Amino acid sequence: MSSEIRQMWERYIFENKLDSSKMDKMIIDSWKLSKKFKVNPNEGIGNKILTTSDFQKRLKENETLISLAKRSLDRFGMLFKNMDFILVLTDADGYILWQAGPESLQGIAREMGFLQGSQWTESVVGTNAIGIALRTKEANIIHGYEHFAKASQQWSCVSSPILGENSQVKGVVDLSMPSHYPKKIDFLVRVQLIADYISEALQKKAYEDQKYMLQFYSTKKQVGILCDSSMTILHISPDLIENPENMIGKKLTHLSKSEWLLVKEEPIWKEQECVGYFVSVLKHETKNKTFHFPYIAGRSQTYRDLIEEVKIVAPTSAPIHLFGETGTGKEVLAKTIHVNSPFSNGRLVCVNCGALPENLMESELFGYEKGAFTGAHANGYQGKIEQAHNGTLFLDEIEDMPASMQSDLLRVLQEKKITRIGGSKEIPLHFRLITASNQNLKKLVMEGQFREDLFYRIYVCPLHIPPLRERKEDICEFIKAFEESNSWFPHWENTLIEVAEQNQWNGNIRELNNFLERCYVYYRERIPSKEQLVELIHKGGLNTQAETEGDTTNFKDQIEKEQIKNALLQHNGNIPLTAEQLSMSKSTLYRKMKKYHLN
């Protein structure tokens, strides 16, 4: 039989003639496709191989599939006892994700490009069992010369598709053996058994995951797309496109995005596994709306990048978390996000969680009914959360919120309802949440000081605000803005900018503004020296040199210390050269280095 197939193959390759009465239609169709794809019948080596990064990405997307394949080999391994074979798993595009079998046989397979990361479809290597299973969604055996290309003709291969929900092909299980093994239906049954086992497990998990994701989706109050972990579409908001059901089961990349923009892919976690994504969407007409930022943006690339990110997330209703040091301008960004959001017609309600006493926080946030407790207002009180209805709630220093209140806040965010203290009526709410912290929330979660479930609720769009010392190019902008707002234009501005840019500003923008206020008070009509400006900085700062050294070092000494330190750095610690530059003897330099702890 094999010699007869070989003759038919040669006749087709060299004469383009086929005897359809003697050959399986499936083979004939595949040979014709192989010619159409211009596969070289004298080669057929797998030469379309993923890059390392792309391969790792596919492994990540198909973790469940690979795990089930490995488990199936453990379960059904006895079916292939005493056989020389390679068991292969591919994804839905025909890329080999995993293979098992004797290293000697895998070495032979690698010579023809049959290896992990290689694509094994009819368009790449011609007629083969994997490619046919992907195209027809049916199990098959391709033996010896039934392969279109010579590279595969020394093999006998059995493949069966793995089907997910809605009978979509998720991958292929392939059993590849040397061609001396006969073409037996028994092999086909064994491979189908493995593929069916994986398919059933995959479909069961997909059903449970989809149910979980749809519950998550139901809590969202914004336009978006629900995708599984491989970015296959499960659900689309009806107002995005016409006939959204036609896109179910297709990849997100297949969508036409002429009228809207994908904003953010929010992972959906289930038992520490990312089972899918909620993709928030922004209408282009919203995106093109004028962005309002009435503050000092500065000229540093760091801050401009941040503002560009704000432009993307502000027009959505996704929760935003701002984190940065004290005085970096978190409230400024919160106001900016609010005025550029769909909630701009409502109120921006700001709450500093760190400034509220714990015993008052519940009533302040949730409000209370009249007579709820002794001292309660006669008409009751509408809490801050309720005040933010149809607007924006900004919770600053949220890391200081007590654990009991974190639980209550989580419930409000999940249910979109609130009940006042002493009341029984549930009040529906719709608001945008912005939170802020000057501590690392991730670290606090790891230390058990902040609820993990609340973290995932608020940490959807995190924005890091850089400290002023990392964007010193902006100091000049702040100074000029202060001068303009006070109609004060000192001709010694360059000295002011030079001194300001040399300071670390641990209190960030707030500390800088306080310093500028003092400058305006003390030197509105006088001209200060650099030393006087440095002294003015330290007057309002914390942890100054004078304070840390018990007031033994005055501000003049601080300037001298900086001069010596800079000279030492400039000359790589060379004492004679440093002393010469500073016009002092070496002994004096040593004495001052000891005084200022410059080792």
Side-chain angles (χ1 to χ4, degrees):
M1 181 64 180
S2 61
S3 60
E4 186 179 358
I5 294 292
R6 177 176 181 175
Q7 289 172 8
M8 287 189 282
W9 176 80
E10 289 176 344
R11 192 174 182 195
Y12 179 62
I13 296 301
F14 299 113
E15 302 175 26
N16 201 32
K17 293 181 180 179
L18 279 170
D19 187 347
S20 58
S21 64
K22 294 183 179 180
M23 286 190 66
D24 190 317
K25 183 178 182 300
M26 179 184 68
I27 304 296
I28 292 174
D29 290 345
S30 185
W31 279 6
K32 288 180 179 178
L33 275 175
S34 300
K35 267 201 171 183
K36 182 180 178 181
F37 290 131
K38 298 181 180 179
V39 175
N40 186 343
N42 294 312
E43 292 183 4
I45 294 174
N47 54 17
K48 190 171 181 181
I49 302 174
L50 294 169
T51 62
T52 301
S53 60
D54 287 342
F55 180 59
Q56 291 300 324
K57 182 180 179 182
R58 288 192 181 247
L59 290 180
K60 184 71 175 174
E61 291 174 348
N62 293 277
E63 282 180 342
T64 302
L65 195 64
I66 296 168
S67 174
L68 289 170
K70 292 177 179 179
R71 197 185 308 168
S72 70
L73 184 59
D74 294 336
R75 185 167 185 173
F76 301 106
M78 74 288 294
L79 298 177
F80 309 105
K81 193 175 181 180
N82 301 322
M83 286 179 58
D84 208 12
F85 70 93
I86 300 175
L87 189 65
V88 172
L89 173 73
T90 80
D91 66 7
D93 296 320
Y95 285 102
I96 297 175
L97 301 174
W98 169 81
Q99 55 186 185
E103 178 57 35
S104 57
L105 202 58
Q106 289 195 56
I108 296 171
R110 281 194 290 270
E111 292 178 3
M112 52 182 277
F114 193 64
L115 44 81
Q116 292 184 164
S118 177
Q119 190 177 36
W120 216 256
T121 58
E122 292 167 291
S123 62
V124 176
V125 297
T127 302
N128 71 94
I130 292 172
I132 291 175
L134 288 169
R135 178 170 55 84
T136 66
K137 297 186 180 181
E138 294 179 0
N140 67 90
I141 304 177
I142 304 298
H143 185 77
Y145 283 96
E146 291 175 345
H147 290 95
F148 180 78
K150 285 185 176 180
S152 302
Q153 289 174 350
Q154 302 305 311
W155 294 83
S156 180
C157 303
V158 188
S159 291
S160 182
I162 298 168
L163 301 178
E165 63 279 11
N166 303 319
S167 297
Q168 286 185 320
V169 176
K170 294 294 186 180
V172 169
V173 175
D174 173 80
L175 184 72
S176 292
M177 306 163 285
S179 60
H180 63 74
Y181 280 91
K183 185 175 181 178
K184 293 173 61 177
I185 193 69
D186 180 48
F187 293 146
L188 189 65
V189 172
R190 298 180 196 183
V191 173
Q192 278 184 298
L193 185 64
I194 293 176
D196 288 347
Y197 165 77
I198 297 174
S199 296
E200 289 176 11
L202 206 61
Q203 289 171 25
K204 182 180 179 182
K205 184 178 186 304
Y207 172 77
E208 292 173 350
D209 289 348
Q210 283 187 29
K211 183 179 177 182
Y212 180 86
M213 286 187 283
L214 286 168
Q215 289 173 343
F216 175 89
Y217 183 85
S218 67
T219 65
K220 290 291 180 180
K221 303 295 182 184
Q222 63 189 101
V223 172
I225 304 168
L226 190 65
C227 297
D228 65 14
S229 57
S230 63
M231 302 311 291
T232 299
I233 298 170
L234 303 176
H235 180 79
I236 305 179
S237 297
D239 52 348
L240 266 181
I241 59 173
E242 293 183 7
N243 304 316
E245 62 276 1
N246 294 339
M247 295 307 300
I248 305 302
K250 295 184 179 180
K251 292 287 187 181
L252 183 66
T253 51
H254 291 171
L255 276 172
S256 171
K257 300 182 281 294
S258 57
E259 297 179 3
W260 40 271
L261 172 74
L262 302 184
V263 175
K264 189 173 183 66
E265 297 171 4
E266 177 185 349
I268 303 171
W269 297 95
K270 178 188 176 189
E271 297 174 357
Q272 297 184 332
E273 177 191 3
C274 176
V275 295
Y277 296 87
F278 175 77
V279 183
S280 51
V281 172
L282 174 66
K283 290 280 187 180
H284 275 308
E285 60 264 29
T286 306
K287 175 179 177 283
N288 294 331
K289 184 181 176 182
T290 302
F291 180 76
H292 185 58
F293 187 71
Y295 306 102
I296 305 163
R299 57 189 179 189
S300 66
Q301 189 60 48
T302 305
Y303 201 70
R304 281 190 291 174
D305 289 344
L306 173 63
I307 296 302
E308 286 303 311
E309 202 170 350
V310 170
K311 288 180 181 179
I312 293 173
V313 300
T316 73
S317 53
I320 292 176
H321 182 73
L322 310 174
F323 60 102
E325 297 176 4
T326 298
T328 50
K330 292 188 283 292
E331 189 168 343
V332 164
L333 277 193
K335 290 177 180 177
T336 301
I337 292 166
H338 172 69
V339 298
N340 291 283
S341 77
F343 300 88
S344 57
N345 291 331
R347 291 179 60 186
L348 170 64
V349 179
C350 302
V351 181
N352 188 325
C353 299
L356 278 176
E358 187 173 341
N359 60 330
L360 296 180
M361 185 174 291
E362 184 179 13
S363 59
E364 187 68 20
L365 287 179
F366 291 86
Y368 53 83
E369 296 291 351
K370 60 181 180 179
F373 50 83
T374 304
H377 193 280
N379 297 321
Y381 175 68
Q382 186 185 58
K384 298 295 186 183
I385 298 177
E386 194 178 340
Q387 292 174 29
H389 180 55
N390 290 328
T392 301
L393 177 66
F394 175 48
L395 299 178
D396 197 4
E397 296 187 25
I398 193 169
E399 68 271 28
D400 291 332
M401 180 176 283
S404 59
M405 291 300 299
Q406 292 178 30
S407 176
D408 292 338
L409 176 61
L410 178 64
R411 187 171 63 254
V412 171
L413 297 179
Q414 288 174 333
E415 299 176 1
K416 302 294 182 183
K417 296 175 183 177
I418 195 171
T419 303
R420 292 182 182 179
I421 298 171
S424 58
K425 179 184 175 183
E426 289 188 331
I427 304 169
L429 296 174
H430 181 50
F431 61 88
R432 198 317 166 45
L433 178 67
I434 303 175
T435 55
S437 66
N438 52 40
Q439 295 186 46
N440 188 333
L441 274 193
K442 292 183 179 180
K443 183 179 178 184
L444 294 178
V445 171
M446 298 298 291
E447 294 173 350
Q449 298 180 46
F450 196 85
R451 289 182 66 106
E452 183 177 357
D453 44 9
L454 179 58
F455 170 83
Y456 285 118
R457 275 285 176 182
I458 68 176
Y459 214 81
V460 177
C461 297
L463 299 176
H464 175 244
I465 308 175
L468 189 57
R469 62 181 172 275
E470 292 181 9
R471 53 185 186 108
K472 289 195 172 182
E473 309 98 300
D474 297 339
I475 290 175
C476 176
E477 303 295 320
F478 284 113
I479 291 174
K480 289 181 179 295
F482 178 86
E483 292 171 349
E484 187 172 339
S485 65
N486 289 278
S487 299
W488 175 56
F489 305 100
H491 61 83
W492 45 272
E493 179 190 78
N494 290 340
T495 304
L496 174 60
I497 293 172
E498 181 185 347
V499 170
E501 288 181 343
Q502 290 175 353
N503 193 57
Q504 285 298 299
W505 301 114
N506 294 325
N508 294 291
I509 301 168
R510 187 177 294 130
E511 184 186 0
L512 173 62
N513 284 335
N514 289 346
F515 162 66
L516 294 175
E517 287 281 1
R518 288 194 298 278
C519 276
Y520 182 69
V521 171
Y522 283 94
Y523 298 109
R524 185 167 45 186
E525 297 176 355
R526 294 186 296 155
I527 301 175
S529 65
K530 286 185 181 181
E531 291 81 3
Q532 287 173 318
L533 289 176
V534 171
E535 181 177 352
L536 209 59
I537 289 174
H538 290 301
K539 264 192 175 182
L542 295 172
N543 299 320
T544 64
Q545 184 71 17
E547 290 168 334
T548 56
E549 295 185 5
D551 289 331
T552 59
T553 307
N554 60 33
F555 298 113
K556 183 177 179 181
D557 288 345
Q558 174 66 14
I559 296 296
E560 185 178 57
K561 176 184 174 181
E562 290 299 318
Q563 290 175 340
I564 295 173
K565 181 179 177 182
N566 291 335
L568 285 166
L569 289 172
Q570 183 179 343
H571 296 293
N572 296 317
N574 187 301
I575 297 298
L577 291 177
T578 302
E580 182 180 352
Q581 178 180 323
L582 297 172
S583 301
M584 63 176 65
S585 66
K586 289 190 290 184
S587 59
T588 300
L589 177 57
Y590 277 122
R591 179 170 51 79
K592 289 185 178 290
M593 286 173 62
K594 183 177 180 181
K595 174 184 177 182
Y596 299 131
H597 306 290
L598 296 173
N599 298 320

